[in-house]
Amino acid sequence: DGDNYKELFGALDNAFLVAYAIGMFISGIFGERLPLRYYLSGGMVLSGLFTALFGLGYFWDIHVLWYFIVVQVCNGLVQTTGWPAVVACVGNWFGKGKRGLIMGIWNSHTSVGNILGSLIAGAWVSSAWGLSFVVPGIIITTVGIICFFFLVEYPEDVDCSPPLHHVMTTSEKDPEAVTSNEGPLSLSGQSSVDHTNSPKEPAEEPEAISFLGALRIPGVVEFSLCLLFAKLVSYTFLYWLPLYIVNVAHFGAKEAGDLSTLFDVGGILGGIFAGLVSDYTGGRATTCCVMLVVAAPMLFLYNHVGQNGIGTSIAMLIVCGALVNGPYALITTAVSADLGTHESLKGNAKALSTVTAIIDGTGSVGAALGPLLAGLISPTGWNNVFYMLIAADVLACLLLARVVVKEARGWCGYMARQRGYVVT
């Protein structure tokens, strides 16, 4: 209830986001070396504990800022166990062929969680706000216990066949196709080696990959830096969109909150669309790049004409949500799984968690920077905030240029071979 409440909320948000970004780089290393079921379940229970402790500050009548900051830092650290573990588990079950679509549908849980979290928290925010944290804490703890008893890490654990992580589609159509080892995401870069054997079948368990070893996988650095700017845009919308709608469109707080959820609805559609297209074309980077290129002018249009009517606002929010969150969803799921099972690893599946943590950890740096920059720039006008977001989108696109060129070469080589020409 003080005049500096915005600064206090900003400190709490940044305490969580910075802790999450730092912890993510460490979390993936532990994820490769511990049973995923224990690691994920333990992280969920601890996340529930610290979330509930934040809300209990209301019932215990705590008014000391350091208590809430310490709880937020601890919460940010333990929540880093989630994303690397779940992507690794899903990646263990599904091969490269339909991974984009499957993970695009699966990744809708992030947007659904954002929506449900807002609705659950909003139920008590005006009365006993502590319950806005205690109830979600109880929910995630309960689901963590369920995961402990029922999560199956590998298909082989229940006598199912493991997926093929590298499918050489071009060699099936052209037996004389020449395979390149340039990268994981080009058609010519997919491995033609038969990986029918499970990574768990060798007598000797492969060693988990090191942090530097994961960085050397082709494409990891590019996609990590791309996600930094893509997540910067996404999280700026997540934190600032309701306030923008109130200030520019002059809606009430509740209407602005309801409208802002449409951005997440668009994110669900964009994630599924990006996964489907990237499966069909074989070009994960190209799909991300095209969506980012289209997102830049759409953000400009939303800022200038998106508030001209409720219908226009709804349509623009869904479209912008799809174009902004589509590449973000694709990189954090299918691309992370592709790189974590890259052909250069020679069947070693002990890289999924580390690669996912590096990519999402770098993206989390952008998630922390975006809302902070928006807070610093917004006093100069909302136009400048949107110019910052458009610039971030363009940078994200440019960082994928090398991988996009590699994919284009793969397509050109495949088409030339189909016509009977030899590419040198």
Side-chain angles (χ1 to χ4, degrees), residues 1-17:
D1 57 354
D3 294 335
N4 64 336
Y5 73 95
K6 289 184 179 179
E7 288 79 5
L8 298 180
F9 281 141
L12 292 175
D13 288 340
N14 278 301
F16 175 86
L17 292 171

Side-chain angles (χ1 to χ4, degrees), residues 268-320:
I268 295 173
L269 301 176
I272 295 172
F273 176 78
L276 183 63
V277 171
S278 66
D279 280 342
Y280 180 76
T281 61
R284 308 278 198 221
T286 305
T287 302
C288 291
C289 201
V290 170
M291 295 183 77
L292 289 168
V293 167
V294 179
M298 292 306 297
L299 290 175
F300 180 84
L301 284 175
Y302 173 67
N303 184 42
H304 284 82
V305 302
Q307 311 302 331
N308 289 349
I310 188 67
T312 304
S313 184
I314 290 173
M316 293 293 292
L317 278 171
I318 292 175
V319 171
C320 288

Side-chain angles (χ1 to χ4, degrees), residues 388-405:
M388 181 268 289
L389 297 178
I390 292 169
D393 250 333
V394 173
L395 284 171
C397 181
L398 291 175
L399 286 164
L400 290 182
R402 188 184 70 86
V403 187
V404 171
V405 170

Side-chain angles (χ1 to χ4, degrees), residues 107-422:
N107 187 64
S108 64
H109 71 265
T110 56
S111 296
V112 173
N114 286 342
I115 296 169
L116 287 178
S118 298
L119 294 175
I120 292 171
W124 293 284
V125 72
S126 298
S127 52
W129 64 261
L131 291 175
S132 298
F133 293 88
V134 173
V135 172
I138 293 172
I139 292 172
I140 192 173
T141 300
T142 303
V143 177
I145 294 170
I146 293 172
C147 281
F148 178 80
F149 286 107
F150 295 102
L151 179 66
V152 180
E153 296 178 30
Y154 297 96
E156 306 93 299
D157 293 342
V158 287
D159 298 325
C160 292
S161 300
L164 296 178
H165 290 300
H166 306 292
V167 182
M168 184 58 184
T169 54
T170 54
S171 65
E172 292 171 358
K173 298 174 182 177
D174 183 0
E176 297 180 2
V178 179
T179 303
S180 164
N181 61 356
E182 283 186 318
L185 302 177
S186 62
L187 288 173
S188 63
Q190 295 171 359
S191 172
S192 59
V193 180
D194 182 11
H195 289 288
T196 53
N197 290 330
S198 161
K200 293 185 73 184
E201 283 183 10
E204 217 173 290
E205 188 74 17
E207 289 185 6
I209 195 169
S210 66
F211 185 88
L212 291 177
L215 283 176
R216 286 195 290 266
I217 297 174
V220 168
V221 172
E222 288 94 333
F223 278 105
S224 296
L225 294 175
C226 172
L227 184 64
L228 187 151
F229 291 102
K231 209 166 179 179
L232 184 153
V233 178
S234 179
Y235 270 66
T236 301
F237 269 93
L238 180 66
Y239 280 85
W240 285 89
L241 185 57
L243 182 61
Y244 171 78
I245 294 173
V246 168
N247 289 344
V248 177
H250 306 294
F251 284 108
K254 186 180 186 308
E255 291 79 5
D258 293 341
L259 271 177
S260 66
T261 61
L262 294 172
F263 189 81
D264 282 310
V265 173
I268 295 173
L269 301 176
I272 295 172
F273 176 78
L276 183 63
V277 171
S278 66
D279 280 342
Y280 180 76
T281 61
R284 308 278 198 221
T286 305
T287 302
C288 291
C289 201
V290 170
M291 295 183 77
L292 289 168
V293 167
V294 179
M298 292 306 297
L299 290 175
F300 180 84
L301 284 175
Y302 173 67
N303 184 42
H304 284 82
V305 302
Q307 311 302 331
N308 289 349
I310 188 67
T312 304
S313 184
I314 290 173
M316 293 293 292
L317 278 171
I318 292 175
V319 171
C320 288
L323 293 172
V324 169
N325 285 343
Y328 161 33
L330 185 63
I331 293 172
T332 54
T333 55
V335 169
S336 297
D338 287 347
L339 296 176
T341 55
H342 185 230
E343 58 186 0
S344 64
L345 298 171
K346 298 177 181 178
N348 183 1
K350 291 283 188 176
L352 263 170
S353 184
T354 301
V355 169
T356 302
I358 290 173
I359 292 175
D360 198 49
T362 307
S364 297
V365 174
L369 284 175
L372 179 63
L373 289 175
L376 295 174
I377 297 172
S378 59
T380 66
W382 285 105
N383 286 344
N384 293 331
V385 174
F386 273 85
Y387 292 146
M388 181 268 289
L389 297 178
I390 292 169
D393 250 333
V394 173
L395 284 171
C397 181
L398 291 175
L399 286 164
L400 290 182
R402 188 184 70 86
V403 187
V404 171
V405 170
K406 193 185 303 180
E407 290 178 354
R409 284 177 179 169
W411 289 323
C412 292
Y414 171 67
M415 292 173 66
R417 288 192 297 272
Q418 288 293 88
R419 292 195 295 267
Y421 296 106
V422 178

Side-chain angles (χ1 to χ4, degrees), residues 91-107:
N92 289 336
W93 275 88
F94 298 103
K96 191 177 178 72
K98 297 293 182 183
R99 182 179 282 160
L101 175 62
I102 291 169
M103 284 195 155
I105 296 171
W106 168 76
N107 187 64

